[in-house]
Amino acid sequence: MLSEYIFWFLSFVAVFSAAGMIFSKNPVYSVLSLIVTFFAVAGHYFLLGAQFLAAVHIIVYAGAIMVLFLYVIMMLNLNELEEEKKSLYTKALSFFAGGVLMLVLIAVVRRTEELQLIQPAVYNADLGLTQHLGKVLYKEFLVPFELASVLFLSAMVGAVYLSKKDLA
Amino acid sequence: MDSMLIYKALLTVGVFAVSLGIAAYLTWGERKLAAILQDRVGPDRAGPFGLLQPLADGVKMLMKEEMIPSKANKWLFIFGPSFFMLTACMTGAVIPWGSGITVDGVVYPLQVTDINIGLLYLLGVVSIGVYGIMIGGWSSNNKYSLLGALRASSQMISYEVAMGMALIALTMITGTLSLGEISRQQDAGLANVVYQPLGFLIFIICAFAETNRAPFDLPESESELVGGYHTEYSSMKLGFFLFAEYINMFISSAVMATLYFGGYNFPFQHELGLEGNTLAILQTAALFIKIAIFIFVFMWVRWTLPRFRYDQLMNLGWKVLLPLSIANIFITGIVMWALGKLN
């Protein structure tokens, strides 16, 4: 019962801070709202028993990526007056793209209910613990895991190359 | 079960109070130690040996006029120091302060919560701690504050990476992320620093950088940035920033003692013939002695070494500590493989 209340509370916080991120005029407020959203989502991971995912979510997204976002925004010192005005055409296109993405997500959520991918009777609650996750990742899904790491590595090399280009 | 819940609540308040009390007296200790190292007397007016100085400082901080710059973002200006203080106090929850007191056959653990992602929790809290400084520095609407905040954020992100890598090598040996379990393992075997000397060295350097202590105190370097991120702060909001630094120092000393120097265990503790609660109290005392030694090192370094230049700081973080910590992971792996400890 308690976890249900926590679920509703976290969902409320997540939705409202996400809306705040989009609607606030000041980019710093946007970043701060997004951080609150990340915390609410991490709370959901905790409720689902995925402790490792929750902790890494906080460390990577809230603790590293958003710090860099905030860094850049503070450095540029953006404010609402300097905000680039977008044309009606761009706005309509982004609205369309966002709507399509939302449709896809709703379809996926509906399908999971029909397919019954998660069966509470046989669900292993310890699955999200670090030890289990490590064993699954490094034994059952070793090749996809390593492929993902190679992808990350190439992205890193690309980022370094792009930042060095001006020097050459 | 209810008595356990009440006990945990009391323990939380206790850890909080002890952190604050120790942090208050660290300001006194820092000034005394600086005085000794510089051949001065130090604070000696308030009470014997100046022991009431922290109280006098606290009253001074509270009574001073609250100033909020007219061009500052008011809410974020207050939020910054409050958040910094909050994150400083949060880490104490996962540190095992002792093995546990037994009353009427019920063991009361001296650890607020032994979550099995304790190490990740520590890293997470440390990584969000930088927001306090960043928001405080930005909302002041002052060039010097902003520069201090930018320095703090890039410094903390850079050193977090090496710190995490050092902890990965430690986790390979211990096989757990729970701080309680790491302490218990060091009771059975040797302290982790014996197996991870390089890892400890990297960790302590990163701890200096994460707490913004000299020689890494560039975010507030008073000789170039006036006061860095807290230039515009006065009264208790400034007090929070300064105070949180001492809490961070205390907590990171406790973390180093727990992870690398045996936690609350001390050598030959089972040969003394002591049982139960007497041993537990001695163990807690041992942990606090270790913490005191680390805090002494923190202060000693501050009053001995000059500050780094900013490019030196970045080079040390990315070009020295990060490769060393990755090499440390490889060496640990190879040694464990050679000893047949991998399964």
Side-chain angles (χ1 to χ4, degrees):
Chain A
M1 202 57 206
L2 181 66
S3 63
E4 199 169 308
Y5 287 133
I6 297 174
F7 171 82
W8 286 112
F9 173 72
L10 287 174
S11 310
F12 180 82
V13 171
V15 169
F16 272 79
S17 54
M21 183 243 155
I22 297 168
F23 290 118
S24 62
K25 292 276 181 200
N26 189 332
V28 173
Y29 287 152
S30 286
V31 170
L32 295 179
S33 310
L34 189 56
I35 294 164
V36 175
T37 316
F38 283 144
F39 271 92
V41 173
H44 278 305
Y45 289 149
F46 259 113
L47 281 185
L48 292 170
Q51 294 181 340
F52 181 79
L53 188 59
V56 170
H57 188 76
I58 294 289
I59 295 172
V60 174
Y61 284 91
I65 294 179
M66 293 323 287
V67 171
L68 291 178
F69 267 65
L70 202 57
Y71 184 94
V72 173
I73 287 173
M74 283 179 178
M75 193 112 99
L76 298 176
N77 215 359
L78 288 174
N79 53 46
E80 43 200 296
L81 292 175
E82 290 165 15
E83 200 184 349
E84 182 188 352
K85 289 279 174 285
K86 294 183 181 66
S87 68
L88 197 65
Y89 178 67
T90 330
K91 279 181 184 167
L93 259 186
S94 46
F95 182 78
F96 179 72
V100 168
L101 183 66
M102 193 175 80
L103 270 181
V104 170
L105 285 177
I106 289 174
V108 168
V109 172
R110 278 181 55 110
R111 283 292 283 172
T112 34
E113 210 158 279
E114 282 170 28
L115 292 172
Q116 289 183 327
L117 286 175
I118 298 164
Q119 288 155 326
V122 290
Y123 181 69
N124 183 3
D126 289 344
L127 205 65
L129 300 188
T130 317
Q131 220 162 2
H132 290 268
L133 196 69
K135 276 181 184 149
V136 170
L137 273 185
Y138 283 94
K139 283 186 175 158
E140 284 178 44
F141 297 101
L142 183 62
V143 176
F145 182 74
E146 290 298 331
L147 280 179
S149 342
V150 171
L151 198 65
F152 272 118
L153 188 67
S154 53
M156 262 164 70
V157 172
V160 171
Y161 175 75
L162 282 178
S163 66
K164 286 269 179 193
K165 212 169 65 174
D166 295 341
L167 294 178
Chain B
M1 203 57 224
D2 269 351
S3 72
M4 203 53 159
L5 207 62
I6 295 165
Y7 166 74
K8 288 280 185 184
L10 286 177
L11 187 67
T12 313
V13 176
V15 168
F16 183 60
V18 167
S19 308
L20 290 184
I22 285 184
Y25 270 89
L26 286 184
T27 59
W28 172 83
E30 172 113 58
R31 292 170 69 179
K32 266 296 190 208
L33 193 75
I36 293 167
L37 289 175
Q38 295 170 350
D39 202 13
R40 293 186 283 119
V41 180
D44 70 339
R45 297 290 103 176
F49 307 107
L51 273 173
L52 297 177
Q53 191 67 43
L55 286 177
D57 281 344
V59 170
K60 182 193 78 178
M61 284 288 187
L62 282 171
M63 303 306 276
K64 285 227 173 179
E65 190 189 352
E66 289 271 346
M67 291 277 287
I68 296 179
S70 56
K71 288 283 180 65
N73 186 323
K74 196 178 165 201
W75 290 108
L76 291 183
F77 192 75
I78 298 171
F79 179 74
S82 316
F83 190 74
F84 196 49
M85 193 70 181
L86 174 76
T87 48
C89 294
M90 269 168 71
T91 20
V94 290
I95 292 166
W97 301 101
S99 54
I101 305 283
T102 318
V103 180
D104 291 337
V106 182
V107 180
Y108 290 97
L110 285 172
Q111 185 181 14
V112 176
T113 170
D114 192 8
I115 47 177
N116 51 19
I117 48 163
L119 272 180
L120 293 176
Y121 173 85
L122 275 182
L123 278 177
V125 174
V126 165
S127 67
I128 59 168
V130 69
Y131 284 119
I133 292 181
M134 283 185 87
I135 291 170
W138 178 78
S139 63
S140 307
N141 209 353
N142 174 322
K143 293 271 188 298
Y144 292 115
S145 302
L146 183 67
L147 279 174
L150 293 179
R151 281 184 179 190
S153 52
S154 46
Q155 169 180 332
M156 284 174 96
I157 283 213
S158 309
Y159 281 80
E160 243 161 51
V161 180
M163 183 183 242
M165 290 290 180
L167 287 181
I168 286 178
L170 181 77
T171 325
M172 286 165 71
I173 293 179
T174 58
T176 176
L177 294 170
S178 142
L179 270 78
E181 183 59 32
I182 289 174
S183 285
R184 280 189 287 277
Q185 281 178 358
Q186 292 177 93
D187 183 15
L190 289 168
N192 283 332
V193 70
V194 179
Y195 307 109
Q196 283 291 324
L198 184 61
F200 170 68
L201 193 67
I202 295 166
F203 191 89
I204 193 170
I205 294 173
C206 293
F208 275 91
E210 293 287 325
T211 49
N212 293 327
R213 293 281 300 185
F216 301 105
D217 61 343
L218 283 116
E220 54 175 281
S221 53
E222 65 280 352
S223 49
E224 26 188 309
L225 291 184
V226 190
Y229 60 91
H230 56 58
T231 305
E232 294 283 359
Y233 279 89
S234 62
S235 180
M236 204 54 206
K237 294 198 286 299
L238 172 68
F240 267 18
F241 271 131
L242 302 183
F243 212 60
E245 180 185 316
Y246 285 95
I247 298 180
N248 279 334
M249 205 163 94
F250 168 61
I251 297 289
S252 41
S253 300
V255 170
M256 281 188 282
T258 305
L259 293 182
Y260 289 100
F261 278 83
Y264 48 76
N265 303 295
F266 57 92
F268 309 114
Q269 54 182 348
H270 297 300
E271 277 78 53
L272 287 175
L274 293 172
E275 279 304 317
N277 290 345
T278 329
L279 184 64
I281 291 167
L282 277 180
Q283 284 178 327
T284 306
L287 176 64
F288 274 88
I289 290 171
K290 289 174 193 174
I291 293 173
I293 293 170
F294 276 118
I295 290 175
F296 172 73
V297 174
F298 264 101
M299 292 178 176
W300 184 21
V301 167
R302 172 167 178 189
W303 297 103
T304 309
L305 294 180
R307 187 178 292 136
F308 275 100
R309 223 170 49 215
Y310 203 72
D311 58 325
Q312 291 172 330
L313 172 101
M314 282 294 150
N315 281 344
L316 179 70
W318 288 106
K319 295 183 183 165
V320 180
L321 291 182
L322 185 61
L324 268 182
S325 57
I326 293 174
N328 188 33
I329 292 177
F330 273 99
I331 295 167
T332 310
I334 291 168
V335 171
M336 282 175 77
W337 173 73
L339 294 175
K341 291 269 177 68
L342 294 180
N343 47 7

Coordinates of all heavy atoms in Angstrom, one line a residue, chain B residues 14 61 98 130 159 182 197 213 246 303:
Chain B
G14 N 21.6 11.0 15.9 CA 22.9 11.0 16.5 C 24.1 11.2 15.5 O 25.0 12.0 15.8
M61 N 28.1 34.1 13.1 CA 27.6 33.8 11.8 C 26.1 34.0 11.8 O 25.5 34.6 10.9 CB 27.8 32.3 11.4 CG 29.2 32.1 11.0 SD 29.5 32.7 9.4 CE 31.2 32.1 9.0
G98 N 30.5 1.2 13.9 CA 30.9 0.3 14.9 C 30.2 -1.1 14.6 O 29.4 -1.1 13.7
V130 N 28.0 18.8 -6.1 CA 28.5 19.9 -6.8 C 27.4 20.9 -7.1 O 27.7 22.1 -7.3 CB 29.3 19.5 -8.0 CG1 28.3 18.9 -9.1 CG2 30.1 20.6 -8.6
Y159 N 37.6 14.6 -11.2 CA 38.2 13.7 -10.1 C 37.3 12.6 -9.7 O 37.7 11.6 -9.2 CB 38.7 14.5 -8.9 CG 40.0 15.2 -9.2 CD1 40.1 16.3 -10.0 CD2 41.2 14.6 -8.8 CE1 41.3 16.9 -10.3 CE2 42.4 15.2 -9.1 CZ 42.5 16.3 -9.9 OH 43.7 16.9 -10.2
I182 N 32.2 -4.8 3.7 CA 33.6 -4.5 3.5 C 34.3 -4.4 4.9 O 35.4 -4.9 5.1 CB 33.7 -3.2 2.7 CG1 33.3 -3.4 1.3 CG2 35.2 -2.7 2.8 CD1 33.3 -2.2 0.4
P197 N 47.3 -0.5 -2.5 CA 48.0 0.8 -2.1 C 47.9 1.9 -3.1 O 47.6 3.0 -2.8 CB 49.5 0.3 -2.0 CG 49.6 -1.0 -2.8 CD 48.2 -1.6 -2.7
R213 N 39.6 21.0 -0.9 CA 40.6 21.4 0.0 C 41.9 21.7 -0.7 O 42.2 21.1 -1.7 CB 40.9 20.2 1.0 CG 39.7 20.0 1.9 CD 39.6 20.9 3.0 NE 40.8 20.9 3.9 CZ 40.9 21.6 5.0 NH1 39.9 22.4 5.4 NH2 42.0 21.5 5.7
Y246 N 33.8 21.2 6.2 CA 34.4 20.4 7.3 C 33.6 19.1 7.4 O 34.2 18.1 7.8 CB 34.4 21.3 8.5 CG 35.4 22.3 8.5 CD1 35.2 23.6 8.1 CD2 36.8 21.9 8.8 CE1 36.2 24.5 8.0 CE2 37.8 22.9 8.8 CZ 37.5 24.1 8.4 OH 38.5 25.0 8.3
W303 N 48.2 23.3 5.0 CA 49.1 24.3 5.5 C 50.5 24.1 5.0 O 51.4 24.8 5.5 CB 49.0 24.5 7.0 CG 47.6 24.9 7.4 CD1 46.6 24.2 7.9 CD2 47.0 26.2 7.2 NE1 45.5 24.9 8.0 CE2 45.7 26.2 7.6 CE3 47.5 27.4 6.6 CZ2 44.8 27.2 7.5 CZ3 46.7 28.5 6.6 CH2 45.3 28.4 7.0

